[in-house]
Amino acid sequence: MLECRDIVLRREGWEFTADLDLQPGGRIAVIGPSGAGKTTLLSLIAGFLAPDAGRIAWQGRDLTGIAPGKRPVSVLFQDQNLFPHLDVTRNVGLGLRPDLRLSPDQRDRVAQAIADVGLGGFGDRLPANLSGGQQSRVALARVLLRARPILLLDEPFAALGPALKSEMMELLDRIGRDTGALMLMVTHDPRDALEFARQTIVVQDGHCQPPQATGDLLRDPPPALREYLGGSIGG
Amino acid sequence: MAARILRVSAGPAIAAGLALLILGTLAAVAWQAEGLSGLSSWDWRAVRFTIWQAALSATISALLAVPVARALARRRFWGRGLLVTLLGAPFILPVIVAIMGLVAVFGRQGAINDALRALSLPEISVYGWQGVILAHVFFNLPLSVRLVLQGWQAIPSERFRLAESLGFAPRDVARHLERPMLRAVLPGAWLAVFLVCLTSFTVALALGGGPRATTVELAIYQAFRFDFDLSKAALLGLIQIAICVGALIATRWIAVPASFGAGRDDRVTWQGPAGWRRGTDALAIALASAFLLWPIGAVTLRGLPAIPDLPPEVWTAAIRSVVMAVISALLTLTVTLILALHLSRRPSGWIEGAGMLPLVASPLVLGTGLFILLRDVAGAQALALPVTVGVNAMMALPFGLRALIPAARTMQQDYGRLAASLDMTGIARLRLLVLPRLARPIGFAGGLAAALAMGDLGVIALFSTDQPTLPLKLYQLMTSYRMADASAAAVLLMAISFALFWIFDRGGRLA
């Protein structure tokens, strides 16, 4: 279980609070207005930010003070998920060894992961020579290899068109089933939440509400959420 | 855990060491100095001359820069890009080489005086205060032109188009667009030149001297070298520091733009006015180009054929200088990289300040201080080369930091979290993220540091050494009137300096 117990983070004139219990293997959408603290929640779990109070633990193990790279966590950011100076193979290989000293067996696994996301033969390309969708696939191949039990997604497909985006969501779905990871996905689009996650966390004014069933929440949103969503879900 | 502590504290430790070294050196200077009564009227004259010549050089450079920059901004012609790039070259041109060139053109045997004689006009002298000013304008006019040109190019071209559509005459353009820009840009450009000229040593050594053209830096050298009066050298050092600190305080109100780097020139600006202004623009560009290129061309023509006949000790000095310059550049790069990486993760005023400290300490002051500190450990002979390498490495730090800090910040913003989430730390992070991402600024900073160290004739002149660097050897040839050898050595020195810069910079681009 991922426990976020009595988390408080204070910044000038702003406070973020969370108290959550998230089950392994769950899929959870995180929605809320810009600046409400969605990315803050992910950054705390990833270890980029340290809470001023409270603790975060995974399967009973306290994560406080553990460096981001040592946590049981993979992250997909909005952008800059790939190093532009490294080719596809090396970008994916970083998921196995951060110093890229790979054994022959590990090299095979990297090639397999690249083939799994449909990019066989693209191994020696630089990210600049790939389309946006292909770049997302490379990042997903690395997630697949890292196989961490928690996957944090900060609107990673926001820049993609609708067709590509649903393609990526399918791929993500498959990776989720293969790795059995707990997935938290920040999104602006309630349809993503409906499609992807049984449960949804609403973040508002720096406060995280506990996860609720996505369908119920969107059918009958509380007033503030209704205002944020506007007319984007009919009925 | 130990590795982590080591990594986190390397930045502050280096910065503290640097601050200790520089401030300790300055403290040694202060300790050695006796009361202000130790200064004669000669010394006060040096103080006045230092400030006066810096102000005059800055003013002339700024005034001449305006027509040249305007012409470059509003005209397109063949070779314009090359000319703008060349405006960056004086930054790494060894001072002593430029002096050779100026002597070749403006000296007694030079073309200018030949022409004056032919016209039965009085000759001019390149020595004395006018020579100091001439050399400073030679070095700093290009810098001023670049800074003012940037100002011109920063005016959005839409505004010029608007002016055109409103039927503005050139006078109206000047009043509404150009003069407001100049008011904003010129103070910074003036101060940048003023700061450079305050610590002028080589120019004053070669062209100045005497009661009417001695700078404080030159007076330190004379007190140290000829009178061996350490307490007076130290006292003058304190005055030099006070002058630099005073000028730096002025930069709190007036932003000084970066004084290096090739001119950026990728904007399409407006069509300049036709008519007689075409002629004056062409004249401004032609005169400025001639003023800058002629001396270098003259010394090259004179020196190139004599290179095969250079005595072997010049080649020895050249090799010695290259080794010292490369060591110095690597020192600068190591310290700069550690400080910039630390600052990119957590901004820290005092660490950045420590890196910029060399700006308040002139090379001669540092050299004097290090000699005072180390004289019981080793003699001047043994200290000469290591102290020169160390001081040159320190003097290049501010330039290295200005090139690397913004790049390191961008890298941290763009890829810091990704690298952290993938557990890339230590050597792996350096190898797979830092060096590839920062290769260009590292190459550029290394090139600047190597070229500056290669051409420097400051600290080494303090010590009487039988192991001269190439600039010192060149100066010795010059003062013994072996002008053919001196010209050849100047060409050699210029070629090596530019080559060092090119190799580092190119290496960074290809990496």
Side-chain angles (χ1 to χ4, degrees), chain A residues 204-215:
Chain A
Q204 208 140 32
D205 300 329
H207 177 68
C208 288
Q209 288 158 18
Q212 305 164 51
T214 306

Side-chain angles (χ1 to χ4, degrees), chain B residues 223-424:
Chain B
F224 190 102
R225 195 63 207 282
F226 300 134
D227 310 336
F228 208 74
D229 186 344
L230 266 184
S231 80
K232 189 167 155 194
L235 186 53
L236 286 163
L238 277 187
I239 288 176
Q240 178 71 58
I241 295 165
I243 292 174
C244 290
V245 170
L248 277 179
I249 289 172
T251 64
R252 289 177 63 92
W253 292 287
I254 304 171
V256 176
S259 56
F260 56 88
R264 277 175 53 80
D265 186 35
D266 43 17
R267 294 181 58 106
V268 179
T269 42
W270 82 116
Q271 197 60 43
W276 60 271
R277 286 185 179 83
R278 219 178 255 284
T280 52
D281 282 354
L283 190 67
I285 290 170
L287 282 179
S289 309
F291 177 52
L292 298 175
L293 294 177
W294 192 3
I296 299 306
V299 74
T300 308
L301 281 182
R302 196 190 275 190
L304 210 51
I307 285 185
D309 306 324
L310 273 176
E313 68 262 26
V314 172
W315 292 103
T316 319
I319 293 168
R320 184 180 296 125
S321 271
V322 170
V323 172
M324 288 169 66
V326 170
I327 296 174
S328 183
L330 293 179
L331 272 176
T332 302
L333 278 186
T334 310
V335 173
T336 311
L337 193 60
I338 291 173
L339 293 185
L341 287 179
H342 184 87
L343 288 170
S344 73
R345 291 181 187 210
R346 50 205 95 184
S348 154
W350 81 264
I351 289 181
E352 205 166 337
M356 296 294 169
L357 261 185
L359 289 178
V360 300
S362 73
L364 284 233
V365 174
L366 282 180
T368 307
L370 286 175
F371 177 79
I372 293 169
L373 284 176
L374 298 174
R375 64 183 155 167
D376 296 331
V377 186
Q381 193 63 249
L383 285 177
L385 299 190
V387 167
T388 302
V389 168
V391 171
N392 280 333
M394 279 193 263
M395 296 314 294
L397 273 182
F399 305 112
L401 283 174
R402 271 184 217 161
L404 270 175
I405 288 176
R409 280 205 180 117
T410 306
M411 178 193 77
Q412 179 66 20
Q413 264 162 27
D414 288 352
Y415 304 108
R417 287 187 164 199
L418 177 58
S421 78
L422 293 172
D423 200 23
M424 289 165 77

Side-chain angles (χ1 to χ4, degrees), chain B residues 9 19 47 99 135 138 149 234 255 297 306 355 387:
Chain B
S9 55
V47 173
I99 288 167
F138 175 84
L149 181 60
V387 167

Side-chain angles (χ1 to χ4, degrees), chain B residues 62-87:
Chain B
L63 289 180
L64 292 182
V66 173
V68 181
R70 183 173 51 203
L72 281 172
R74 65 187 184 187
R75 304 291 172 194
R76 293 288 171 274
F77 53 91
W78 187 86
R80 180 183 171 282
L82 182 67
L83 188 60
V84 173
T85 306
L86 278 180
L87 290 175

Side-chain angles (χ1 to χ4, degrees), chain A residues 4 7 16-18 20 22 30 37-46 49 56 152 184 186 201 203 208:
Chain A
C4 301
I7 299 290
F16 175 87
T17 56
L20 303 166
L22 306 175
V30 181
K38 302 187 297 290
T39 298
T40 306
L41 174 65
L42 263 55
S43 296
L44 283 162
I45 298 172
L49 293 174
I56 295 173
L152 305 175
L184 263 87
V186 169
I201 295 173
V203 186
C208 288

